[in-house]
Amino acid sequence: MTEYYSIGQVANLVNYNGGNDINVTLTDDAVWNVDGTSLITSLSISDNATVVVAEGVTLTVDGVVYGAGTYDADAF
């Protein structure tokens, strides 16, 4: 542990490992502001809810990538 600097650079990347599914449900007038690159398994969204993806960020839902913008139920 005293020579932690010897292991090199470590980077955490968004990656689906086939387990630990993340399922998101938005109801009523919910707004999800995605401000960091995210990967989820499924997204259920009511007619009045929205997802706002920030500039420079991506949201991946079941393999489909969404870039910056505002999305409603029709997008998913």
Side-chain angles (χ1 to χ4, degrees):
M1 288 179 38
T2 59
E3 296 182 18
Y4 64 91
Y5 50 83
S6 296
I7 64 171
Q9 183 177 6
V10 176
N12 293 318
L13 304 174
V14 176
N15 183 35
Y16 180 63
N17 65 3
N20 304 320
D21 291 347
I22 299 173
N23 304 301
V24 176
T25 301
L26 301 177
T27 60
D28 302 325
D29 295 325
V31 177
W32 177 20
N33 292 302
V34 182
D35 58 6
T37 297
S38 302
L39 182 133
I40 62 174
T41 307
S42 68
L43 175 61
S44 298
I45 181 171
S46 70
D47 288 335
N48 295 330
T50 56
V51 175
V52 180
V53 180
E55 193 70 37
V57 171
T58 59
L59 168 64
T60 304
V61 180
D62 194 26
V64 178
V65 179
Y66 298 88
T70 301
Y71 301 94
D72 60 15
D74 293 334
F76 304 100

